[in-house]
């Protein structure tokens, strides 16, 4: 898209892209959203904040209920490696999961309804800390959200693997149950030349990582989906010093809560085995966990049919993905759904080179505006 004919919401996305912030530290992002909202005609808007999040209610003309649209706000601890003129200005942080796109789309939809109100109230939920430790569950319990508790809630997520103009979702489970995984191993450091006087946590950590790979392959029914990824290992200080400590950081993904329970039991057994086998101390911490994103079957089926009938986007009924999303906590109590929106990028989510096609912003704004307008007038 050329710089001369930028949609205002592409420009907004670029501004947000430059200020990625960690979960519950989205201070500049919150300020940006509040300043944007303050510039809109105030008659139809009610605004509240919760921690670094923002809730904005667009008042309907004759409201019977509240329908909600949710966008997440936080960035990821990734050094951006694009050459974009609007790349991240926060070293070590990047909007590499599309939350800048999600917020720009939500502002586009909200702006439309401020100028063209519909019958029901529409609540726009800008939620912090989706990447961790999870803002959805505490926000769901917060005073402003409870005050404006919606009857249904919807969200989207960018999908680099689908081209612009494609949306994808499914009734039922769309995203996985997740649990973070942090394991600390403590042994006995020493001189590299005297391994018999030390207790090497690099070797223990390597064994543990390899054993963890057997949990899914040997303990989970092959017809059930599960993933264990160790994304980070830290150990040691120098090439000729035996490491006293090692730390593993990872994530567990399953499509059922039961598989998550069974996997955790196996991990605990393996960690105990490493302690016994290597004579070290281990601590295991599951960090934040998210429940599955379980799309309401009726609303999702209705949305898929509605979108197909409109004919302006390609509609895919997709399989579940092992991604996690704390949006699942809203869906635990409130019916709704999440769908993928294609942004055709060769670089995937969580890539330092992710560069979503910004034409998806206007596609999404048109689609979501039409859908919410239809639901809120029906
Ligand atoms: C859409 C997406 O990429 N979501 C994240 C959610 C993070 C969950 C949690 N921090 C974990 O790693 O378990 C994802 O990684 O799927």
């Amino acid at each position: 898209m050329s710089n001369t004919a930028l949609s205002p919401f592409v420009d907004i996305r670029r501004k947000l892209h430059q200020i990625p912030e960690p979960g519950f530290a989205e201070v500049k992002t919150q300020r940006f959203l509040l300043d944007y909202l303050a510039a809109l005609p105030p008659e139809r808007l009610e605004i509240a904040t919760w921690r670094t999040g923002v809730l904005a209610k667009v008042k309907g003309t004759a409201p019977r209920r509240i329908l909600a649209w949710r966008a997440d706000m936080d960035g990821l601890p990734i050094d951006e490696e694009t050459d974009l003129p609007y790349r991240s200005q926060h070293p070590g942080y990047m909007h590499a999961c599309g939350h800048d796109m999600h917020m720009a789309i939500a502002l586009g939809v909200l702006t439309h309804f401020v100028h063209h109100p519909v019958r029901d109230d529409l609540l726009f939920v800008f939620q912090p800390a989706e990447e961790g430790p999870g803002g959805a569950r505490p926000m769901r319990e917060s005073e402003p959200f409870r005050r404006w508790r919606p009857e249904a809630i919807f969200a989207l997520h960018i999908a680099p693997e689908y081209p612009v103009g494609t949306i994808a979702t499914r009734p039922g489970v769309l995203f996985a149950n997740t649990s973070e995984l942090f394991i600390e191993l403590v042994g006995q450091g020493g001189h590299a030349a005297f391994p018999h006087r030390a207790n090497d946590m690099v070797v223990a950590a390597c064994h543990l990582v390899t054993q963890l790979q057997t949990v899914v392959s040997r303990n989970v029914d092959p017809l059930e989906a599960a993933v264990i990824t160790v994304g980070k290992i830290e150990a040691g200080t120098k090439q000729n010093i035996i490491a006293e400590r090692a730390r593993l950081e990872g994530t567990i993904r399953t499509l059922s809560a039961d598989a998550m329970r069974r996997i955790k039991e196996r991990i605990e057994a393996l960690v105990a085995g490493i302690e016994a086998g290597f004579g070290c101390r281990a601590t295991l911490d599951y960090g934040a966990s998210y429940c599955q994103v379980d799309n309401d079957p009726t609303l999702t089926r209705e949305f898929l049919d509605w979108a197909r009938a409109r004919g302006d986007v390609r509609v895919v009924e997709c399989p579940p993905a092992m991604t996690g999303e704390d949006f699942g906590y809203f869906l635990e109590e409130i019916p709704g759904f999440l769908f993928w929106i294609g942004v055709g990028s060769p670089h995937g989510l969580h890539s330092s080179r992710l560069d979503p096609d910004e034409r998806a912003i206007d596609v999404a704004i048109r689609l979501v505006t039409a859908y919410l307008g239809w639901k809120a007038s029906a």
Side-chain angles (χ1 to χ4, degrees), residues 97 130-131 157 178-180 251 253 290 323-324 350:
C97 202
E130 186 277 328
E131 296 291 350
H157 203 292
T178 72
S179 170
E180 295 174 351
T251 179
R253 312 289 167 105
Y290 296 171
T323 29
H350 296 195

Side-chain angles (χ1 to χ4, degrees), residues 53 114 179 216 290 371:
V114 167
S179 170
V216 174
Y290 296 171
Y371 177 69

Side-chain angles (χ1 to χ4, degrees), residues 69 105 109 113 156 339 363-373:
W69 181 262
I105 291 164
V109 177
F113 287 117
L156 57 69
F339 66 92
V363 172
I365 291 174
R366 274 199 304 276
L367 183 81
V368 175
T369 300
Y371 177 69
L372 289 180

Side-chain angles (χ1 to χ4, degrees), residues 67-258:
L67 301 176
W69 181 262
R70 174 274 204 169
D72 38 13
M73 298 169 67
D74 50 327
L76 280 160
I78 292 179
D79 255 322
E80 180 160 356
E81 289 187 288
T82 72
D83 295 327
L84 298 168
Y86 50 87
R87 67 184 160 273
S88 169
Q89 300 300 305
H90 288 176
Y93 279 89
M94 178 183 176
H95 269 300
C97 202
H99 301 184
D100 50 345
M101 301 277 286
H102 302 168
M103 288 185 281
I105 291 164
L107 287 178
V109 177
L110 177 154
T111 304
H112 171 90
F113 287 117
V114 167
H115 294 292
H116 308 281
V118 280
R119 183 163 180 194
D120 290 325
D121 289 340
L122 295 173
L123 178 66
F124 291 83
V125 179
F126 295 90
Q127 176 221 303
E130 186 277 328
E131 296 291 350
R137 185 145 56 163
M139 194 172 201
R140 186 188 74 186
E141 306 307 325
S142 71
E143 187 282 318
F145 190 83
R146 292 173 85 86
R147 179 173 9 125
W148 291 332
R149 190 182 171 80
E151 198 176 293
I153 188 161
F154 312 100
L156 57 69
H157 203 292
I158 65 159
E161 54 282 358
Y162 289 115
V164 173
T166 295
I167 61 164
T169 191
R170 71 191 302 275
V173 175
L174 179 68
F175 284 3
N177 296 266
T178 72
S179 170
E180 295 174 351
L181 176 64
F182 302 100
I183 303 170
E184 242 357 285
L185 301 176
V186 182
Q188 173 68 56
H191 195 294
F194 305 108
H196 54 297
R197 292 185 201 145
N199 188 9
D200 190 344
M201 289 305 101
V202 165
V203 177
C206 291
H207 274 264
L208 182 53
V209 172
T210 308
Q211 289 179 20
L212 287 174
Q213 297 316 303
T214 67
V215 173
V216 174
S217 70
R218 286 297 169 268
N219 296 279
V220 177
D221 182 335
L223 298 178
E224 222 179 297
V227 174
I228 299 177
T229 293
V230 177
K232 183 175 170 185
I233 301 186
E234 271 176 1
T237 49
K238 194 173 184 300
Q239 115 289 346
N240 61 351
I241 299 176
I242 288 175
E244 182 184 333
R245 290 170 180 275
R247 180 175 166 83
L248 277 55
E249 298 189 3
T251 179
I252 314 166
R253 312 289 167 105
T254 66
L255 289 184
S256 75
D258 183 52

